Amino acid sequence: MLKTYLYKDLSKEQIQELVNRNTDPNHAIQDTVLNIINEVKTHGDAALKSYAKQFDKVELEKLFLGQEEIDELASTISRDQMRALEIAFQNIYKFHQTQLKRERTVETMPGVKCWREVRPIEKVGLYIPGGSAVLPSTLLMLGIPARIAGCREIVVCSPPQNNGKINGFVAYCLKLLKIDRIYLVGGAQAVAAMAYGTESIPKVNKIFGPGNQFVTKAKSLIQGLTDVSIDMPAGPSEVLVIADESCNPAFVAADLLAQAEHGIDSQAVLVCTSENIAKAVEEEVQKQLEVLPRKELAEKAMLNSYIVIADTLQEAMDFSNLYAPEHLILETDEWKPLINKVLNAGSVFLGHLTPESAGDYASGTNHTLPTSGFARSYSGVSVDSFVKKITFQHITEEGLQQIGSTVEILAELEGLQAHKNAVSIRKK
């Protein structure tokens, strides 16, 4: 079922072809998304209602649910389900709260003091996917750091269900986050609505959240078309598992399928150190696949997936760093020495008893991570994603005498006389 490659037989070009994913060679996705963006920019709420009818198969009278409706929906879930969401909330909050730190003031020269202060991004937009799977966990992963950062306005968009509402789990997360409104908009149109603003939906300063290839493309385009920034390109989900002879093939198969069941455009990659491991994992994949409720989706995702057989763990790490996975699982007894070898990854799961799903839901780390190779240059979402760091400096009379001539000389050699004068006039 899974395509298998021997690492030693792959050329550089073949490896590059393997690590490339979710490309849009004919610009079909881009063209569709640009059309959606322009429609939303031009027609606002009317376009959003039209897209809800077209894509979500629901006719909406209004584009949001308020506090009363959220409370009512939240009350429909069981006490055990509430408690699970509360534990996840507490663990995610505990981990992210440590990220907000005050930096010390530095005196670079006598009388010259510099420092940075943190300020929240005022208006943020959170996109919560709701296609083949509804993801209340994503609302916690985005809403908690936004709250810790102190963002003044948090706009949440999520596709409506076929009853024109959201599910009770998302509603309960809204209550935990003290957010009293959610907008019933999905896909690229939600990104456009938050970027430009409509009659109902406020314009934001930065957009967060994962999504399919259309959502990811919309985010990348919006960043170029408007003054709105994004967290990162976070598209279809992916995992890379490194496994050696110490692995449990059943665990490895479960981790691969956990990723595959996200959707047909997800990808699960196994890099193992022997053909025996590859065969054992394949057998487990087939066995576990048969009993999955989302078998059809997972099967299609596995068609996008593959196995690479490496001779050593070092070769496996070399391939992983080229691939730059969203999720990296090290299913080996030798995980400790591999930590320093991880150069490119969104989030890493160490050892045999650390499934990626723990990070997806409740261990505390954030599950909104860079995909499609962007882990080479992006980090996952954190409190830092929701703040700006502004530099300050203060110079005393002594400081001006200390630094003044340096600034004057540098300004003069760059031919910027007014820059020099701004110092000279003060020195006099």
Side-chain angles (χ1 to χ4, degrees), residues 21-22 210-214 216 233-239 259 262-267 326 369-372:
R21 60 262 195 209
N22 300 321
N212 60 23
Q213 293 185 62
F214 293 91
T216 306
S237 201
E238 61 198 35
V239 69
Q259 207 60 53
H262 271 294
I264 61 173
D265 49 4
S266 294
Q267 189 171 67
E326 177 190 17
L369 303 164
T371 66
S372 304

Side-chain angles (χ1 to χ4, degrees), residues 176-324:
L176 290 173
L177 291 162
K178 297 180 170 55
I179 295 172
D180 59 11
R181 179 173 285 202
I182 184 169
Y183 295 93
L184 303 169
V185 186
Q189 58 271 28
V191 176
M194 291 187 282
Y196 289 105
T198 71
E199 299 92 324
S200 297
I201 300 177
K203 173 181 165 61
V204 301
N205 305 125
K206 189 172 182 179
I207 296 171
F208 296 78
N212 60 23
Q213 293 185 62
F214 293 91
V215 171
T216 306
K217 181 61 71 175
K219 286 170 67 180
S220 65
L221 289 171
I222 281 298
Q223 187 165 234
L225 293 169
T226 70
D227 58 355
V228 175
S229 64
I230 64 169
D231 51 354
M232 77 192 85
S237 201
E238 61 198 35
V239 69
L240 187 146
V241 181
I242 290 178
D244 64 7
E245 297 293 346
S246 67
C247 79
N248 182 323
F251 294 177
V252 175
D255 288 334
L256 296 173
L257 289 170
Q259 207 60 53
E261 73 174 353
H262 271 294
I264 61 173
D265 49 4
S266 294
Q267 189 171 67
V269 176
L270 169 62
V271 186
C272 58
T273 53
S274 79
E275 196 175 332
N276 289 337
I277 300 169
K279 286 179 179 175
V281 170
E282 277 229 67
E283 287 173 12
E284 278 292 335
V285 165
Q286 292 294 347
K287 189 191 304 182
Q288 295 180 30
L289 193 57
E290 289 306 313
V291 295
L292 283 183
R294 293 167 69 85
K295 176 187 173 184
E296 191 178 331
L297 279 178
E299 265 184 331
K300 288 179 180 174
M302 293 307 275
L303 295 175
N304 302 328
S305 306
Y306 57 87
I307 298 173
V308 173
I309 299 174
D311 287 336
T312 64
L313 285 174
Q314 180 60 59
E315 281 188 355
M317 287 305 309
D318 290 343
F319 183 85
S320 175
N321 284 323
L322 288 169
Y323 185 91

Side-chain angles (χ1 to χ4, degrees), residues 44-102:
D45 283 0
L48 297 178
K49 288 177 180 177
S50 174
Y51 285 129
K53 186 176 180 180
Q54 180 182 344
F55 297 131
D56 306 308
K57 312 303 180 194
V58 60
E59 293 200 38
L60 297 174
E61 288 184 22
K62 61 176 185 174
L63 289 168
F64 64 89
L65 300 178
Q67 184 69 70
E68 191 175 320
E69 293 157 304
I70 290 169
D71 289 345
E72 186 181 330
L73 289 164
S75 68
T76 63
I77 70 174
S78 72
R79 183 58 236 169
D80 283 347
Q81 291 164 336
M82 289 181 185
R83 182 65 186 141
L85 290 169
E86 288 162 7
I87 291 170
F89 181 96
Q90 290 159 11
N91 288 352
I92 297 163
Y93 195 97
K94 193 181 295 183
F95 178 75
H96 286 76
Q97 194 174 31
T98 65
Q99 296 167 4
L100 199 58
K101 293 178 181 175
R102 184 178 179 84

Side-chain angles (χ1 to χ4, degrees), residues 406-417 420:
T406 298
V407 176
E408 286 175 314
I409 291 167
L410 292 174
E412 195 164 41
L413 70 85
E414 291 192 351
L416 299 174
Q417 188 63 39
K420 179 185 177 182

